[in-house]
Amino acid sequence: MPKRPDYISWDEYFMGVALLSAMRSKDPSTQVGACIVSPEKRIVGVGYNGFPSGCNDDDLPWEREGAFLETKYPFVCHAELNAILNSSGNLKGSSLYVALFPCNECAKAIIQAGIVEIVYLSDKYADTDAVKASKRMFGQAQVRLRQITPSGKRLVIELKV
């Protein structure tokens, strides 16, 4: 019997895990997930954007605009940083799957962790200084950047009992 022809690729699988992780984010405007994968194709870390453990997400702001301390920006940990912090250990040589291209702050952590490849879907903030700085650092650190185009395949997860 031949193998099933419609199985998903590694990229679809790991990006799917990143997108599923994003669904845990309580941010009303932006949900991002990240999945770190070892060279052996093992998931070694996942994360999503949200407040640090122990910080009440009902007591901190989710606003995008206003006075700095009245916005989410000084409080939120990005998905990439959470995936690194939630990882199982050595990330040297691994790949990071994320829907949105990493900011400069996450780029620093990614490089320091030894991640060698970023696989992403969207680069919608490409013209911002934060992403320009990321790309500059990734280039100097020789981190490979790979944008993937969705295949159009719909992945559905149903929770059934």
Side-chain angles (χ1 to χ4, degrees):
M1 174 182 258
K3 68 181 176 186
R4 184 173 65 94
D6 60 342
Y7 62 92
I8 62 176
S9 70
W10 284 117
D11 281 346
E12 290 168 324
Y13 176 68
F14 296 128
M15 191 60 76
V17 170
L19 295 173
L20 182 63
S21 296
M23 295 176 74
R24 280 287 308 147
S25 175
K26 296 174 186 170
D27 188 324
S29 59
T30 306
Q31 301 82 45
V32 178
C35 177
I36 303 173
V37 180
S38 74
E40 297 79 28
K41 303 274 190 240
R42 304 289 184 263
I43 296 172
V44 294
V46 293
Y48 55 89
N49 61 310
F51 298 135
S53 297
C55 293
N56 189 326
D57 51 37
D58 291 323
D59 294 337
L60 293 173
W62 287 107
E63 302 302 320
R64 293 181 63 153
E65 296 185 18
F68 186 63
L69 291 177
E70 299 303 317
T71 69
K72 64 183 178 177
Y73 300 111
F75 307 106
V76 168
C77 290
H78 286 179
E80 302 93 327
L81 180 59
N82 269 328
I84 290 167
L85 295 172
N86 293 334
S87 71
S88 59
N90 186 358
L91 302 180
K92 300 239 182 286
S94 59
S95 297
L96 183 135
Y97 285 77
V98 64
L100 192 57
F101 196 90
C103 73
N104 62 304
E105 292 300 320
C106 289
K108 293 181 236 180
I110 289 164
I111 293 165
Q112 285 297 100
I115 294 169
V116 298
E117 180 184 43
I118 308 297
V119 183
Y120 63 97
L121 289 174
S122 173
D123 194 9
K124 72 178 183 178
Y125 298 112
D127 292 331
T128 66
D129 288 343
V131 170
K132 289 176 183 177
S134 293
K135 290 179 180 177
R136 187 171 177 181
M137 287 186 283
F138 286 145
Q140 289 184 2
Q142 299 180 0
V143 174
R144 291 185 308 278
L145 307 175
R146 186 162 58 92
Q147 185 172 20
I148 59 174
T149 304
S151 65
K153 195 179 293 183
R154 186 164 184 223
L155 304 177
V156 178
I157 298 172
E158 279 187 56
L159 300 177
K160 292 184 179 180
V161 179

